[in-house]
Amino acid sequence: MRTQVGIVGAGPAGLMLAHLLHRSGIESVVIEARSRRYVQERVRAGVLEQGTVDLMTATGVGERLKREGLVHRGIELRFARRSHRIDLSELTGGAAITIYGQNEVIKDLTDARIAAGAPIYFESEGVTVHGFDGAEPAIRFTSGGAKHEVRCDFIAGCDGFHGVCRPSIPAGALTIYERVYPFAWLGILAAVAPSSDELIYSRHERGFALHSMRSPELTRLYLQCAPDGKLDDWPDERIWGELDRRFEIDGGWTLRRGPITQKGITEMRSFVAEPMQCGRMFLAGDAAHIVPPTGAKGLNLAIADVRVLARALAEFFSSGDRVMLDGYSQTCLRRVWKVQRFSWWMTSILHRLDGENAFDARRQMAELDYVTGSRAAAQSLAENYVGLPMES
Ligand code: APR
Ligand code: PHB
């Protein structure tokens, strides 16, 4: 097989890149290790920045999002038994976030891919990347029992943190910046109406808790837990009891309970690989960087990367000009590091730090007091939360 861009991974990065390239008349082949069903049902984050929503809408994949997405104009911060609203829209001149599961984004983009009759291989085994240091990159894999080779002009490594593309870059060509946090998140999906119209981020002495949602009938909740925590340690009753305590405020508030339909533990990490390119291979999304989930930025950052990459590839294929492609990593990293900073900051003010000394605990409270008391500080949170401009 021969194509212009070989894309490894059908997560948000790979599928959105394929979609944007298709709209520019550029051919690609998408190669995914998992089944279509698995990627569409995997529960991940669910907050779309304004820019992500605008891009989906402008490129014709925003119809269901418009119908089913829940537009939120504010978030709530809870600490010291009190609740504070951050009015995102008022602080940003009208921007908002939209709650729409990552797996719904995947469904819409996969449907668009298939409707376009463009190639996508699920359940691909033994995926390897070759020749990206020269002029003839190739991707090899097995699918449906047959061996395949895709020869291409460029490879897009959109295969997430545990993929094959980043590790295929020669040791020494990448610099890794990393921070692993000494806590994790236990996430559940519960078949019950949300207990609040907006997201609630709660800092509590027992640890962080987050109230989110997927639909008017589905609540998504998270609890800070030990990094080596096991699901067996968390029977349903313990989860609900812990959530009740961490969301408690003066004046009372009730968390609705319902059957838990999904449970998982997510590790927390900040990670950047630089540069995000090597020869004719470009890394995008989680393959290049990971943010802790506190600001809900992972998906949005992946979309911002591929937007830059799609433009650079379109420029190259239409004019032969490599300037934008050569600058891909540098362009993306400016935004990546700002989002890293924000995600780290949100994480650091809201979590219980182990071995927390009294100074740090007081400093955290001062941060929260400041951000809920100063318009300038709240505005800084809001402009980052709704999303920095795509290319900033
Ligand atoms: N070959 C082919 N596909 C692979 C391989 C491989 N060797 N390894 C992983 N994949 C696939 C995964 O199965 C997954 O579907 O690559 C895809 C990567 O998708 P994501 O992990 O979703 O990463 P990305 O597209 O960068 O999306 C950004 O933001 O919300 C966060 O972490 C969350 O996934 C989200 C991410
Ligand atoms: C989610 O709904 O999954 C979610 C929301 C906000 C976050 C992280 C995850 O900060």
Side-chain angles (χ1 to χ4, degrees):
M1 253 179 289
R2 162 93 214 153
T3 192
Q4 288 172 291
V5 184
I7 301 177
V8 186
L15 289 169
M16 181 55 96
L17 178 64
H19 176 61
L20 296 175
L21 292 177
H22 179 75
R23 287 176 54 87
S24 299
I26 298 167
E27 285 178 6
S28 66
V29 173
V30 180
I31 299 147
E32 164 63 46
R34 303 286 194 155
S35 68
R36 181 173 178 187
R37 186 165 169 183
Y38 180 90
V39 292
Q40 293 192 353
E41 288 181 3
R42 183 170 40 183
V43 180
R44 308 286 278 272
V47 175
L48 306 189
E49 291 177 356
Q50 184 76 55
T52 301
V53 171
D54 293 346
L55 183 66
M56 287 183 67
T57 307
T59 62
V61 285
E63 207 144 287
R64 201 161 63 92
L65 165 64
K66 193 170 172 203
R67 266 199 328 270
E68 298 176 15
L70 307 171
V71 176
H72 285 200
R73 305 203 164 273
I75 55 169
E76 192 180 317
L77 295 180
R78 280 189 186 181
F79 57 97
R81 303 186 61 85
R82 293 185 57 191
S83 125
H84 308 259
R85 182 165 190 267
I86 304 285
D87 190 333
L88 298 172
S89 288
E90 193 271 324
L91 289 161
T92 57
I97 51 145
T98 301
I99 305 294
Y100 192 66
Q102 176 170 316
N103 55 318
E104 307 300 335
V105 175
I106 298 282
K107 274 183 212 159
D108 297 340
L109 289 170
T110 308
D111 287 352
R113 180 84 187 157
I114 287 168
I120 178 162
Y121 290 84
F122 289 101
E123 296 178 72
S124 309
E125 290 170 2
V127 179
T128 51
V129 288
H130 307 268
F132 52 85
D133 47 346
E136 289 180 15
I139 306 170
R140 297 191 192 122
F141 62 102
T142 304
S143 174
K147 284 191 186 305
H148 297 272
E149 181 177 78
V150 173
R151 269 177 268 153
C152 47
D153 296 308
F154 298 99
I155 295 174
C158 301
D159 50 349
F161 187 62
H162 300 288
V164 292
C165 291
R166 191 185 64 252
S168 303
I169 296 176
L174 292 181
T175 306
I176 304 297
Y177 300 88
E178 187 169 27
R179 170 164 297 190
V180 179
Y181 297 87
F183 39 78
W185 277 14
L186 169 72
I188 64 163
L189 202 58
V192 62
S195 305
S196 155
D197 290 341
E198 294 184 338
L199 268 57
I200 305 170
Y201 290 84
S202 182
R203 185 217 179 264
H204 191 275
E205 298 75 62
R206 299 181 65 85
F208 169 73
L210 169 61
H211 170 277
S212 179
M213 63 201 71
R214 284 294 174 277
S215 72
E217 298 85 33
L218 269 183
T219 303
R220 179 88 170 134
L221 293 150
Y222 297 95
L223 273 178
Q224 176 182 355
C225 67
D228 53 356
K230 303 274 172 295
L231 284 179
D232 287 348
D233 300 338
W234 289 96
D236 295 3
E237 210 40 47
R238 181 176 176 209
I239 295 176
W240 291 116
E242 198 60 37
L243 285 165
D244 279 344
R245 295 175 77 167
R246 297 190 192 182
F247 284 119
E248 222 167 40
I249 43 171
D250 290 339
W253 186 79
T254 309
L255 178 65
R256 290 197 183 109
R257 295 186 181 192
I260 296 179
T261 58
Q262 200 267 349
K263 255 188 224 184
I265 291 184
T266 315
E267 60 161 10
M268 308 273 285
R269 183 191 293 274
S270 299
F271 175 97
V272 182
E274 289 190 17
M276 290 167 57
Q277 63 200 86
C278 180
R280 287 179 167 255
M281 180 158 79
F282 298 88
L283 303 177
D286 278 14
H289 41 69
I290 294 282
V291 287
T294 323
K297 292 293 171 205
L299 161 82
N300 297 291
L301 206 46
I303 298 294
D305 286 349
V306 298
R307 198 170 157 209
V308 175
L309 186 54
R311 282 199 182 159
L313 287 165
E315 175 70 20
F316 174 80
F317 284 117
S318 65
S319 71
D321 189 343
R322 276 197 72 129
V323 173
M324 280 173 80
L325 270 182
D326 290 343
Y328 166 72
S329 177
Q330 216 185 350
T331 305
C332 288
L333 284 169
R334 281 188 69 197
R335 190 174 192 281
V336 165
W337 276 109
K338 282 179 216 152
V339 177
Q340 286 286 356
R341 181 207 72 81
F342 177 69
S343 303
W344 164 83
W345 175 77
M346 282 278 281
T347 303
S348 75
I349 64 169
L350 288 164
H351 289 76
R352 182 200 144 94
L353 308 169
D354 254 348
E356 182 175 51
N357 69 33
F359 182 89
D360 285 331
R362 288 281 198 281
R363 182 186 49 78
Q364 273 186 326
M365 294 307 282
E367 285 266 15
L368 287 163
D369 201 12
Y370 179 48
V371 92
T372 51
S374 150
R375 183 176 172 84
Q379 202 160 26
S380 164
L381 187 161
E383 75 166 348
N384 280 277
Y385 198 86
V386 300
L388 295 172
M390 279 278 182
E391 279 149 57
S392 66

